[in-house]
Amino acid sequence: MKALAMTEQRESQTADPRWAAVLERDTRQDGRFVYAVATTGVFCRPSCPSRRPHRENVAFFSGPEEAERAGYRACRRCSPKSAVAPMERTVRRACAYLDEHLD
């Protein structure tokens, strides 16, 4: 009976669309939620390029403020508190540089 309950719990966890977004590193989900990892104490964007955590260590939050209230800190790699993702900032800087140095 206990094994059946654990199997059902595991299936419901893997069926969560937010978990699927984390596994796929779906940039379309950035800003909709953040996920936090209990073993590291860090919260990230769904698209974070960091190593994927084990599902049982993950909690989902509607935003960075909620994750911080729960005691997690922001990931330095994906900057989940920033409105603009790090890669997007890099692309914008590169475009500005190219515009300034067309010659």
Side-chain angles (χ1 to χ4, degrees), residues 5 14 25 34 65 99:
T14 56
R25 294 186 172 118
V34 296
E65 299 81 17
D99 286 342

Side-chain angles (χ1 to χ4, degrees), residues 50-96:
S50 64
R51 205 173 91 195
R52 292 183 184 108
H54 292 288
R55 175 61 183 99
E56 62 269 12
N57 298 325
V58 172
F60 295 102
F61 297 96
S62 60
E65 299 81 17
E66 187 179 348
E68 286 179 329
R69 280 194 301 273
Y72 294 96
R73 65 177 175 79
C75 174
R76 292 183 185 151
R77 192 166 185 185
C78 69
S79 304
K81 291 175 67 174
S82 171
V84 179
M87 182 60 74
E88 190 174 332
R89 276 195 305 268
T90 302
V91 170
R92 286 182 183 179
R93 281 196 306 254
C95 289

Side-chain angles (χ1 to χ4, degrees), residues 9 17 27 31 35-36 43 47 49-50 52-53 55 63 66 70 76 80 100:
Q9 181 183 5
T27 58
Y35 72 94
F43 67 92
S47 65
S50 64
R52 292 183 184 108
R55 175 61 183 99
E66 187 179 348
R76 292 183 185 151
E100 292 172 10

Side-chain angles (χ1 to χ4, degrees), residues 6-65:
M6 288 182 70
T7 302
E8 288 175 357
Q9 181 183 5
R10 228 178 283 123
E11 287 174 1
S12 70
Q13 288 177 340
T14 56
D16 190 331
R18 295 173 300 183
W19 179 240
V22 170
L23 292 177
E24 295 168 13
R25 294 186 172 118
D26 188 352
T27 58
R28 296 172 300 172
Q29 299 302 314
D30 286 354
R32 295 184 181 195
F33 69 91
V34 296
Y35 72 94
V37 183
T39 53
T40 62
V42 172
F43 67 92
C44 300
R45 297 171 182 268
S47 65
C48 186
S50 64
R51 205 173 91 195
R52 292 183 184 108
H54 292 288
R55 175 61 183 99
E56 62 269 12
N57 298 325
V58 172
F60 295 102
F61 297 96
S62 60
E65 299 81 17

